[in-house]
Amino acid sequence: MKQLTVNRLPALPGPAAWNAILGPTSELPRIESKQTADVVIVGAGFAGLSAARRVHQIDPQARIVLLEAGRIAESSAGRNSGFMIDLPHELTSDDYAGAGDDKAMIALNRQAINFADTAVKDYQIDTNFFDRAGKVNGAASLSAHAHNESYARHLATLGERSEMLDAQAMAHLTGSRHYLSGLYTPGTVMLQPAGYIRGLAAGVLRDGIAIYEESPVISLIREGDAWRVNTPGGQISAGRVILTANGHLESFGFEKGHLMQLFLYAVMTPELDADALARLGGQSRWGITPSDPMGTTVRRIDTAQGGNRIVTRTCATLAPGCRIGANHVARAARVMQKKFDARFPKLAGMQMEHKWAGHLCLTLNGVSVMRQLDDGLFSGCVQNGLGTTRGTLTGIGAAELACGVESDITRHFTCEARPKRLPPQPFLQIGANAILRYKEWRARHE
Ligand SMILES: Cc1cc2nc3c(=O)[nH]c(=O)nc-3n(C[C@H](O)[C@H](O)[C@H](O)COP(=O)(O)OP(=O)(O)OC[C@H]3O[C@@H](n4cnc5c(N)ncnc54)[C@H](O)[C@@H]3O)c2cc1C
């Protein structure tokens, strides 16, 4: 008898601030009975909810159950910076240019964005949570400006539009004189990530899909031609199971020693009062990614998105055990406070209301794990840091694989190489964290 036992469950320090600022929602039930289903989906982030919608589109009669270990929008889905990016965004390169076929990846990313856009319309999700505003790659030094110029040239070879903003235009946009220049690209959707995820969950519920919160899957047992999916409170038998647990794919026993389990950090100001807003200046919504991938992401949001606030994100830790402590968040928060103070001297010293960490998962060769893992078992995992877009894609693709549908998405991911093996421990953790610290230092002004 085949059995997969889950050896660790998600645990993330600090609040999912994007979810917290939207106020409480009603809880969904835990699973507390024995049930059967056609498809069980494990993990209700970008990938899991997209998979649920896609299975329902293909087979409206299918009984679909989504099991989430925590609560909707409390995982990385409610902790990320909300940039749903269409263009190459290779975090391991110096300027985000991809190593593979960037044109094909852009086309796929845009399929994900269109899928999300249609969901927003069908489910009447607040469009303030899905803002087609584009984003800016900010440069604070001449070398970062050179990264932007190189990225703009790369985009031009792909036939992609971009616009260079000068220091004055950057100050007009952000209220900050920190940036020498910025490269605007129009295709990124700026999400209120928790708002979008809540809306998607409410929509698939209305489609008749069952969602159980606080129902972690602890084992899968193959019985005949079905999987028995066990949680502490109940169990479901289903012919098809889709794992959309991102890096926790490894906790189910897959790709051990091949996945980089990374934690990123962010902080968010309290709601800015009229005086702070007057001192800040600039526009009410914008998003800046750093021109050096190891730099600092900054976003300004407004009342329709959860309050007039600034969100700052930087620092990363590799934690192969998928656990980090409050001390890591405290260290990163100190770094982010300095970044905030440097960008907004008129608001310097403002205490952050929220400080948190979130989990993401990368492979050395930048591939995802979207394939059939076993009979009736499918994966839509490993988003390489671009999980709002790629999580949507791997969720769609895993659903299509499970339903026997072939598409550009299934063809792309099933043809990808397998994840490269990581160096052994302790070299991996010590070496990778040393490199991350060095890259943080090198990008300290960005
Ligand atoms: C600070 C930060 C900033 C980021 N910024 C961006 C950004 O701007 N743009 C971008 O594209 N990406 C960004 N990311 C990455 C992005 O958040 C992730 O790649 C994305 O959330 C991955 O989506 P997912 O659905 O695959 O996984 P997740 O969102 O991690 O969802 C997986 C779900 O599986 C559940 N789960 C795990 N194990 C079990 C189990 N045993 N049983 C049941 N459920 C289980 C988890 O609770 C979780 O809800 C950022 C991440 C962080 C931390």
mmCIF file of all heavy atoms in Angstrom, residues 54-76:
data_model
loop_
_atom_site.group_PDB
_atom_site.id
_atom_site.type_symbol
_atom_site.label_atom_id
_atom_site.label_comp_id
_atom_site.label_asym_id
_atom_site.label_seq_id
_atom_site.Cartn_x
_atom_site.Cartn_y
_atom_site.Cartn_z
ATOM 1 N N ARG A 54 -10.263 26.213 -12.652
ATOM 2 C CA ARG A 54 -10.031 25.586 -13.974
ATOM 3 C C ARG A 54 -10.700 24.203 -14.056
ATOM 4 O O ARG A 54 -11.293 23.870 -15.083
ATOM 5 C CB ARG A 54 -8.512 25.477 -14.233
ATOM 6 C CG ARG A 54 -8.167 25.005 -15.618
ATOM 7 C CD ARG A 54 -8.495 26.045 -16.684
ATOM 8 N NE ARG A 54 -8.295 25.512 -18.024
ATOM 9 C CZ ARG A 54 -9.273 25.366 -18.931
ATOM 10 N NH1 ARG A 54 -10.518 25.731 -18.650
ATOM 11 N NH2 ARG A 54 -9.005 24.870 -20.114
ATOM 12 N N VAL A 55 -10.620 23.401 -12.988
ATOM 13 C CA VAL A 55 -11.288 22.084 -13.035
ATOM 14 C C VAL A 55 -12.789 22.306 -13.236
ATOM 15 O O VAL A 55 -13.429 21.637 -14.057
ATOM 16 C CB VAL A 55 -11.043 21.255 -11.747
ATOM 17 C CG1 VAL A 55 -11.881 19.976 -11.767
ATOM 18 C CG2 VAL A 55 -9.576 20.901 -11.579
ATOM 19 N N HIS A 56 -13.349 23.286 -12.524
ATOM 20 C CA HIS A 56 -14.786 23.554 -12.644
ATOM 21 C C HIS A 56 -15.150 23.999 -14.057
ATOM 22 O O HIS A 56 -16.199 23.624 -14.592
ATOM 23 C CB HIS A 56 -15.202 24.616 -11.623
ATOM 24 C CG HIS A 56 -16.654 24.968 -11.705
ATOM 25 N ND1 HIS A 56 -17.655 24.123 -11.271
ATOM 26 C CD2 HIS A 56 -17.279 26.063 -12.210
ATOM 27 C CE1 HIS A 56 -18.841 24.688 -11.496
ATOM 28 N NE2 HIS A 56 -18.631 25.869 -12.069
ATOM 29 N N GLN A 57 -14.253 24.810 -14.692
ATOM 30 C CA GLN A 57 -14.544 25.243 -16.073
ATOM 31 C C GLN A 57 -14.585 24.046 -17.012
ATOM 32 O O GLN A 57 -15.423 23.964 -17.906
ATOM 33 C CB GLN A 57 -13.431 26.198 -16.564
ATOM 34 C CG GLN A 57 -13.510 27.594 -15.991
ATOM 35 C CD GLN A 57 -12.338 28.462 -16.459
ATOM 36 O OE1 GLN A 57 -11.268 27.951 -16.796
ATOM 37 N NE2 GLN A 57 -12.539 29.764 -16.451
ATOM 38 N N ILE A 58 -13.635 23.107 -16.793
ATOM 39 C CA ILE A 58 -13.546 21.955 -17.705
ATOM 40 C C ILE A 58 -14.685 20.965 -17.439
ATOM 41 O O ILE A 58 -15.264 20.412 -18.363
ATOM 42 C CB ILE A 58 -12.169 21.248 -17.533
ATOM 43 C CG1 ILE A 58 -11.034 22.203 -17.924
ATOM 44 C CG2 ILE A 58 -12.095 19.961 -18.362
ATOM 45 C CD1 ILE A 58 -9.647 21.724 -17.512
ATOM 46 N N ASP A 59 -14.990 20.743 -16.158
ATOM 47 C CA ASP A 59 -16.001 19.736 -15.801
ATOM 48 C C ASP A 59 -16.916 20.314 -14.713
ATOM 49 O O ASP A 59 -16.714 20.087 -13.516
ATOM 50 C CB ASP A 59 -15.279 18.474 -15.284
ATOM 51 C CG ASP A 59 -16.271 17.374 -14.934
ATOM 52 O OD1 ASP A 59 -17.493 17.595 -15.076
ATOM 53 O OD2 ASP A 59 -15.816 16.290 -14.514
ATOM 54 N N PRO A 60 -17.946 21.063 -15.138
ATOM 55 C CA PRO A 60 -18.804 21.746 -14.159
ATOM 56 C C PRO A 60 -19.516 20.790 -13.197
ATOM 57 O O PRO A 60 -19.959 21.215 -12.129
ATOM 58 C CB PRO A 60 -19.816 22.498 -15.025
ATOM 59 C CG PRO A 60 -19.228 22.554 -16.395
ATOM 60 C CD PRO A 60 -18.316 21.377 -16.525
ATOM 61 N N GLN A 61 -19.621 19.511 -13.588
ATOM 62 C CA GLN A 61 -20.329 18.559 -12.706
ATOM 63 C C GLN A 61 -19.406 17.962 -11.634
ATOM 64 O O GLN A 61 -19.887 17.298 -10.704
ATOM 65 C CB GLN A 61 -20.916 17.387 -13.520
ATOM 66 C CG GLN A 61 -21.844 17.792 -14.659
ATOM 67 C CD GLN A 61 -22.913 18.764 -14.190
ATOM 68 O OE1 GLN A 61 -23.452 18.647 -13.091
ATOM 69 N NE2 GLN A 61 -23.197 19.766 -15.015
ATOM 70 N N ALA A 62 -18.106 18.136 -11.774
ATOM 71 C CA ALA A 62 -17.161 17.468 -10.857
ATOM 72 C C ALA A 62 -17.339 17.976 -9.430
ATOM 73 O O ALA A 62 -17.540 19.176 -9.208
ATOM 74 C CB ALA A 62 -15.733 17.722 -11.321
ATOM 75 N N ARG A 63 -17.273 17.042 -8.464
ATOM 76 C CA ARG A 63 -17.285 17.489 -7.058
ATOM 77 C C ARG A 63 -15.833 17.790 -6.671
ATOM 78 O O ARG A 63 -14.966 16.912 -6.670
ATOM 79 C CB ARG A 63 -17.880 16.398 -6.156
ATOM 80 C CG ARG A 63 -17.734 16.761 -4.678
ATOM 81 C CD ARG A 63 -18.648 16.006 -3.745
ATOM 82 N NE ARG A 63 -18.171 16.089 -2.361
ATOM 83 C CZ ARG A 63 -18.172 17.184 -1.598
ATOM 84 N NH1 ARG A 63 -18.639 18.323 -2.071
ATOM 85 N NH2 ARG A 63 -17.718 17.147 -0.362
ATOM 86 N N ILE A 64 -15.591 19.052 -6.362
ATOM 87 C CA ILE A 64 -14.223 19.520 -6.107
ATOM 88 C C ILE A 64 -14.138 19.987 -4.655
ATOM 89 O O ILE A 64 -15.005 20.731 -4.183
ATOM 90 C CB ILE A 64 -13.883 20.710 -7.040
ATOM 91 C CG1 ILE A 64 -14.105 20.319 -8.509
ATOM 92 C CG2 ILE A 64 -12.446 21.194 -6.817
ATOM 93 C CD1 ILE A 64 -14.222 21.515 -9.451
ATOM 94 N N VAL A 65 -13.094 19.547 -3.957
ATOM 95 C CA VAL A 65 -12.891 19.966 -2.565
ATOM 96 C C VAL A 65 -11.492 20.554 -2.427
ATOM 97 O O VAL A 65 -10.515 19.960 -2.880
ATOM 98 C CB VAL A 65 -13.053 18.776 -1.589
ATOM 99 C CG1 VAL A 65 -12.752 19.213 -0.160
ATOM 100 C CG2 VAL A 65 -14.464 18.199 -1.670
ATOM 101 N N LEU A 66 -11.426 21.713 -1.798
ATOM 102 C CA LEU A 66 -10.133 22.376 -1.533
ATOM 103 C C LEU A 66 -9.842 22.286 -0.039
ATOM 104 O O LEU A 66 -10.696 22.690 0.773
ATOM 105 C CB LEU A 66 -10.278 23.843 -1.893
ATOM 106 C CG LEU A 66 -9.434 24.414 -3.014
ATOM 107 C CD1 LEU A 66 -9.973 25.765 -3.423
ATOM 108 C CD2 LEU A 66 -8.000 24.554 -2.614
ATOM 109 N N LEU A 67 -8.670 21.783 0.309
ATOM 110 C CA LEU A 67 -8.290 21.682 1.724
ATOM 111 C C LEU A 67 -7.147 22.645 1.996
ATOM 112 O O LEU A 67 -6.106 22.589 1.329
ATOM 113 C CB LEU A 67 -7.837 20.258 2.056
ATOM 114 C CG LEU A 67 -8.900 19.179 1.899
ATOM 115 C CD1 LEU A 67 -8.275 17.800 2.102
ATOM 116 C CD2 LEU A 67 -10.046 19.395 2.888
ATOM 117 N N GLU A 68 -7.319 23.538 2.955
ATOM 118 C CA GLU A 68 -6.293 24.538 3.277
ATOM 119 C C GLU A 68 -5.851 24.341 4.732
ATOM 120 O O GLU A 68 -6.681 24.238 5.634
ATOM 121 C CB GLU A 68 -6.863 25.952 3.041
ATOM 122 C CG GLU A 68 -6.048 27.093 3.623
ATOM 123 C CD GLU A 68 -4.579 27.115 3.208
ATOM 124 O OE1 GLU A 68 -4.268 26.897 2.037
ATOM 125 O OE2 GLU A 68 -3.728 27.337 4.104
ATOM 126 N N ALA A 69 -4.520 24.302 4.919
ATOM 127 C CA ALA A 69 -3.976 24.074 6.266
ATOM 128 C C ALA A 69 -4.340 25.206 7.220
ATOM 129 O O ALA A 69 -4.621 24.976 8.397
ATOM 130 C CB ALA A 69 -2.458 23.923 6.193
ATOM 131 N N GLY A 70 -4.320 26.428 6.716
ATOM 132 C CA GLY A 70 -4.610 27.585 7.581
ATOM 133 C C GLY A 70 -5.911 28.232 7.171
ATOM 134 O O GLY A 70 -6.912 27.550 6.982
ATOM 135 N N ARG A 71 -5.862 29.581 7.077
ATOM 136 C CA ARG A 71 -7.064 30.293 6.623
ATOM 137 C C ARG A 71 -6.776 30.969 5.284
ATOM 138 O O ARG A 71 -5.615 31.264 4.966
ATOM 139 C CB ARG A 71 -7.485 31.320 7.683
ATOM 140 C CG ARG A 71 -7.949 30.644 8.979
ATOM 141 C CD ARG A 71 -8.968 31.483 9.716
ATOM 142 N NE ARG A 71 -10.082 31.849 8.874
ATOM 143 C CZ ARG A 71 -10.781 32.981 9.011
ATOM 144 N NH1 ARG A 71 -10.471 33.830 9.963
ATOM 145 N NH2 ARG A 71 -11.784 33.255 8.208
ATOM 146 N N ILE A 72 -7.824 31.222 4.522
ATOM 147 C CA ILE A 72 -7.673 31.845 3.208
ATOM 148 C C ILE A 72 -6.947 33.186 3.357
ATOM 149 O O ILE A 72 -7.293 33.997 4.222
ATOM 150 C CB ILE A 72 -9.075 32.086 2.572
ATOM 151 C CG1 ILE A 72 -9.816 30.766 2.360
ATOM 152 C CG2 ILE A 72 -8.976 32.903 1.282
ATOM 153 C CD1 ILE A 72 -9.214 29.842 1.352
ATOM 154 N N ALA A 73 -5.934 33.388 2.490
ATOM 155 C CA ALA A 73 -5.158 34.643 2.408
ATOM 156 C C ALA A 73 -4.251 34.892 3.609
ATOM 157 O O ALA A 73 -3.758 35.994 3.797
ATOM 158 C CB ALA A 73 -6.071 35.850 2.167
ATOM 159 N N GLU A 74 -4.037 33.854 4.431
ATOM 160 C CA GLU A 74 -3.119 34.011 5.565
ATOM 161 C C GLU A 74 -1.717 33.495 5.229
ATOM 162 O O GLU A 74 -0.766 33.773 5.929
ATOM 163 C CB GLU A 74 -3.656 33.252 6.789
ATOM 164 C CG GLU A 74 -4.689 34.023 7.565
ATOM 165 C CD GLU A 74 -4.116 35.265 8.250
ATOM 166 O OE1 GLU A 74 -3.096 35.157 8.951
ATOM 167 O OE2 GLU A 74 -4.688 36.361 8.063
ATOM 168 N N SER A 75 -1.594 32.699 4.168
ATOM 169 C CA SER A 75 -0.271 32.176 3.794
ATOM 170 C C SER A 75 0.444 33.239 2.960
ATOM 171 O O SER A 75 0.071 34.409 2.998
ATOM 172 C CB SER A 75 -0.441 30.891 2.991
ATOM 173 O OG SER A 75 -1.007 31.224 1.738
ATOM 174 N N SER A 76 1.427 32.827 2.161
ATOM 175 C CA SER A 76 2.155 33.805 1.328
ATOM 176 C C SER A 76 1.205 34.552 0.399
ATOM 177 O O SER A 76 1.518 35.645 -0.068
ATOM 178 C CB SER A 76 3.245 33.100 0.527
ATOM 179 O OG SER A 76 4.176 32.557 1.430
#
